[in-house]
Amino acid sequence: MIRNTKFFFKGHLITLILILIIGFSCSNYKTSISIQFPKVCEPIQITKEGKDHFFASYYGINSFSQNQKYVTVLETDIKYRLPTECDTATLGLVDLKSLEFIPIAKTTAWNFQQGCMAHWLGSNPDSLIIYNDIRDGKFVSVILNVHTIKEKKIIPYPISAVSPNGKEAVSINFSRLRKTRDSYGYGGNGQDAKLDKVFPEDDGLFILDLETGKKKLLVSFQDIKELVPEVPNDGLEYFNHTLFSREGSKIFWLARARPNRNTTAFTINRDGTNLKKCFPDGWGGSHFDWLNDEELMVTAEYKKQQYGHVLFTVGDKDYKRLGNGILDYDGHGTFSPDGKWMVTDTYPKNGLKEQKIFLMDMESETVLPIGRFPQPEKYKKKWRCDIHCRWSPKGNMIGFNSTHSGSRQAYIIRLKN
């Protein structure tokens, strides 16, 4: 079905002669390096045509149950426009053995980029999930047992990231996000967007206690006013793209502004201390992942000269572009659970309008292309379908979205040693 739309290298042991394969000067690299890349199997379409499907959270967020029997997926009839608060999507599980789609809930708080932000909860990662919804006109998050289909708790705030232990979550203003970057927010008036204030003192980055349902403001918009580029009087500062570090001690997020989307990347300790900018002014920032609790990868404009996948330690000024020049672009990079690999993708900017997937060995930074998928023209606006790779807990599967079949569907690639 997809054999002619991608390419794979399948050898168990691939000896890569860097000067021949990726064209680098041997003055900076060994003449040859033996890399034990895993065997990359052909992608498996895990959802069926007829309706559009995609993973129910942002890239890099675990969509797999801990036992890797199920993944969380959204099903929708909406294709070529942004969803509104009147558009219901079905949240379901795909059984990775039978490929059956099992409906478990409905939600009206979702978008094509980040789904309904479904997370498996670390306290019970085979049974409990949390996802966003609209109840009585308000944005909330729902903790659900996927097997009994019983709601365990409704938190009166939406979530954008969940801590590894499943006890805390980050919350932002999705109504404000809808007004500042509409393809990432939710329709409706589920929160006060505070559109009359460029830097509100009572809004920003919140942390939620998922046991008590209480929230605490960690960083307000006013707190970062002097740390970000000046915003025009008709502009609005907004927060998006939040993520806990691997052990949960820190939180990363992006502060951006409408209308020109000036971007500043920040980290802060989970307790609200040690607020730090990640990059010098003008580097911006886009996509990201934590390698551990100290090291981050963010795609940014390195030295204001070259966009790339930039690895650094929080608080240090030693920035390193990953990929030996191959990954000098804005992609959605995310690390395997053991930190050995990084998978990333591209936007469809080449002449064939293909989205590509690359796997990189973190030790040698050798890059292996593992797939290419053409994107139809009708999926290239605000309802675009990014590849958005994500790892399984055991690191032997990569999930991604694609429209190369003519509709939006979810896929997995199995990796075998």
Side-chain angles (χ1 to χ4, degrees), residues 269-281:
N269 291 346
R270 185 179 60 189
D271 63 4
T273 62
N274 206 22
L275 172 66
K276 290 185 176 182
K277 291 173 65 172
C278 291
F279 293 123
D281 288 338

Side-chain angles (χ1 to χ4, degrees), residues 382-394:
K382 290 183 178 181
W383 47 87
R384 72 183 187 275
C385 180
D386 292 343
I387 291 288
H388 282 176
C389 292
R390 64 213 57 222
W391 290 90
S392 67
K394 297 177 183 178

Side-chain angles (χ1 to χ4, degrees), residues 264-296:
T264 306
F266 287 101
T267 62
I268 194 169
N269 291 346
R270 185 179 60 189
D271 63 4
T273 62
N274 206 22
L275 172 66
K276 290 185 176 182
K277 291 173 65 172
C278 291
F279 293 123
D281 288 338
W283 285 31
S286 186
H287 304 110
F288 54 90
D289 195 21
W290 288 93
L291 181 58
N292 47 54
D293 258 39
E294 302 298 330
E295 293 179 283
L296 263 168

Side-chain angles (χ1 to χ4, degrees), residues 103-355:
I104 58 173
K106 302 282 188 179
T107 179
T108 50
W110 64 280
N111 55 58
F112 287 119
Q113 287 297 306
Q114 298 179 326
C116 58
M117 282 307 221
H119 290 68
W120 292 90
L121 289 183
S123 57
N124 196 339
D126 287 326
S127 298
L128 295 181
I129 64 168
I130 187 170
Y131 67 95
N132 290 336
D133 196 7
I134 302 176
R135 302 288 174 92
D136 299 323
K138 302 297 181 182
F139 298 155
V140 302
S141 50
V142 181
I143 298 177
L144 176 75
N145 186 306
V146 301
H147 303 301
T148 64
I149 318 298
K150 291 184 178 180
E151 294 179 356
K152 183 178 179 181
K153 188 178 298 184
I154 298 177
I155 309 293
Y157 312 101
I159 56 103
S160 63
V162 175
S163 64
N165 63 14
K167 294 182 179 181
E168 296 172 310
V170 171
S171 184
I172 58 175
N173 193 325
F174 283 91
S175 283
R176 190 178 182 90
L177 193 53
R178 183 72 168 197
K179 300 298 182 181
T180 51
R181 200 167 183 209
D182 52 5
S183 55
Y184 287 82
Y186 301 145
N189 297 307
Q191 291 170 281
D192 179 1
K194 302 184 186 297
L195 300 180
D196 60 332
K197 298 178 181 178
V198 179
F199 292 95
E201 296 180 356
D202 57 350
D203 196 9
L205 189 79
F206 294 88
I207 192 164
L208 306 179
D209 185 323
L210 296 182
E211 295 182 352
T212 66
K214 295 181 179 179
K215 71 173 182 177
K216 175 185 176 181
L217 182 61
L218 282 187
V219 184
S220 73
F221 287 102
Q222 190 65 218
D223 291 336
I224 54 93
K225 181 177 181 180
E226 303 303 320
L227 301 175
V228 300
E230 185 176 356
V231 179
N233 291 332
D234 60 345
L236 284 174
E237 192 75 17
Y238 63 97
F239 290 169
N240 195 14
H241 299 323
T242 66
L243 189 67
F244 280 91
S245 56
R246 291 293 173 117
E247 299 298 323
S249 68
K250 297 180 178 67
I251 300 166
F252 168 90
W253 83 101
L254 297 182
R256 286 176 161 168
R258 188 188 72 180
N260 47 13
R261 217 168 88 188
N262 285 335
T263 300
T264 306
F266 287 101
T267 62
I268 194 169
N269 291 346
R270 185 179 60 189
D271 63 4
T273 62
N274 206 22
L275 172 66
K276 290 185 176 182
K277 291 173 65 172
C278 291
F279 293 123
D281 288 338
W283 285 31
S286 186
H287 304 110
F288 54 90
D289 195 21
W290 288 93
L291 181 58
N292 47 54
D293 258 39
E294 302 298 330
E295 293 179 283
L296 263 168
M297 184 284 302
V298 182
T299 54
E301 194 170 2
Y302 179 78
K303 295 185 178 181
K304 299 184 183 180
Q305 295 177 341
Q306 177 62 59
Y307 227 91
H309 293 63
V310 181
L311 183 70
F312 62 98
T313 298
V314 175
D316 288 351
K317 296 182 179 180
D318 184 16
Y319 303 102
K320 176 184 179 182
R321 280 163 48 219
L322 295 174
N324 294 325
I326 294 294
L327 303 183
D328 285 346
Y329 59 84
D330 183 12
H332 303 84
T334 184
F335 299 110
S336 60
D338 62 5
K340 180 175 174 58
W341 310 101
M342 184 180 78
V343 66
T344 191
D345 60 8
T346 70
Y347 289 102
K349 292 183 178 181
N350 58 328
L352 296 175
K353 302 301 181 184
E354 292 174 333
Q355 297 166 292

